[in-house]
Amino acid sequence: MTNALPRWMRTALSEQRLVPYVKATGGDEGQARLLYWWNAEASGAFLGPLHCLELTLRNALHDRLGAGFGRADWWEAAPLSPNGRKLIDEARRKGGRRHGVTSSDDVVAELSFGFWVSLLSTAYDRALWVPFLHRAFPHYSGRRRLLHEDFYSMQLFRNRIGHHEPIHHRHLAADHAKIYRLLEYLSPDMAAAARAMDRVPEVLSTREDTCGGLRPPRF
């Protein structure tokens, strides 16, 4: 195993992006190369569980708000913050560009994970959580604040993966467990189905062999 990062990798991925991996391996560029690719493999493995978490949250909140306000475009009646209203307007414009006539489903599809997580924040405690949104979590009996903190941490985790940032330094087993704990609050059936397809545990178990050059990383 060469101890130097190949020139093509430095050019294609950029020196700046590779620096954290070189630092993490104590300057061993050969180890940094393997760690980079294992990080990419682990990031890819997390996309499936995060996909399930985001969509299950989105649809649960949308359903509860639609029922609570008595209309599919509940955002027209809900007391959203200025930023929330701005995100709705942006989603409506994006949906219109893609589909011409914007339906409620089009707007929902354009809204980000961050928008849905924000609906669990303190700003909406009395307006949305108390009357409607607590019912979206039939298997949760804790405080809204703690639930919001957990979902927000998963939002940040997803964003790191989406921007191809390092995640190897995190307690990834704990991140994985949190995803399923949150999913089970929403839908135990979805959590069970996702677990059956999940390859994160396998990928996490291969880190030592992959970074030791005994196993090639796979996407």
Side-chain angles (χ1 to χ4, degrees), residues 155-172:
Q155 175 193 337
L156 296 180
F157 181 46
R158 177 190 177 281
N159 289 348
R160 288 196 68 81
I161 290 174
H163 289 93
H164 316 297
E165 297 294 333
I167 63 169
H168 62 83
H169 59 288
R170 296 175 62 100
H171 188 342
L172 293 175

Side-chain angles (χ1 to χ4, degrees), residues 73-96:
D73 59 346
W74 53 265
W75 46 84
E76 298 296 344
L80 296 178
S81 68
N83 186 60
R85 183 65 54 195
K86 175 184 176 183
L87 293 174
I88 289 290
D89 290 342
E90 289 175 354
R92 187 184 289 111
R93 285 195 295 272
K94 289 179 182 178

Side-chain angles (χ1 to χ4, degrees), residues 39-170:
N39 189 89
E41 182 177 7
S43 296
F46 268 103
L47 287 176
L50 286 168
H51 165 100
C52 294
L53 181 63
E54 177 175 354
L55 293 188
T56 304
L57 176 69
R58 181 182 83 182
N59 292 321
L61 299 190
H62 176 56
D63 288 347
R64 285 300 172 185
L65 290 169
F69 286 101
R71 53 193 298 176
D73 59 346
W74 53 265
W75 46 84
E76 298 296 344
L80 296 178
S81 68
N83 186 60
R85 183 65 54 195
K86 175 184 176 183
L87 293 174
I88 289 290
D89 290 342
E90 289 175 354
R92 187 184 289 111
R93 285 195 295 272
K94 289 179 182 178
R97 287 197 295 270
R98 293 187 183 186
H99 307 291
V101 177
T102 308
S103 69
S104 296
D105 288 341
D106 295 332
V107 173
V108 169
E110 294 293 342
L111 290 166
S112 69
F113 192 18
F115 172 83
W116 299 104
V117 172
S118 75
L119 298 183
L120 304 176
S121 68
T122 301
Y124 296 113
D125 184 68
R126 293 296 172 186
L128 300 182
W129 174 260
V130 172
F132 311 124
L133 294 185
H134 70 278
R135 296 188 180 93
F137 304 90
H139 305 281
Y140 180 71
S141 59
R143 300 175 64 183
R144 176 204 50 75
R145 178 180 61 81
L146 298 178
L147 188 69
H148 176 252
E149 289 175 358
D150 281 345
F151 270 103
Y152 184 64
S153 72
M154 288 297 96
Q155 175 193 337
L156 296 180
F157 181 46
R158 177 190 177 281
N159 289 348
R160 288 196 68 81
I161 290 174
H163 289 93
H164 316 297
E165 297 294 333
I167 63 169
H168 62 83
H169 59 288
R170 296 175 62 100

Side-chain angles (χ1 to χ4, degrees), residues 5-7 9-22 29:
L5 285 165
R7 184 178 297 276
M9 193 171 176
R10 295 176 184 273
T11 300
L13 302 177
S14 86
E15 293 277 359
Q16 183 179 11
R17 180 168 293 277
L18 294 170
V19 164
Y21 298 90
V22 175
E29 293 189 354

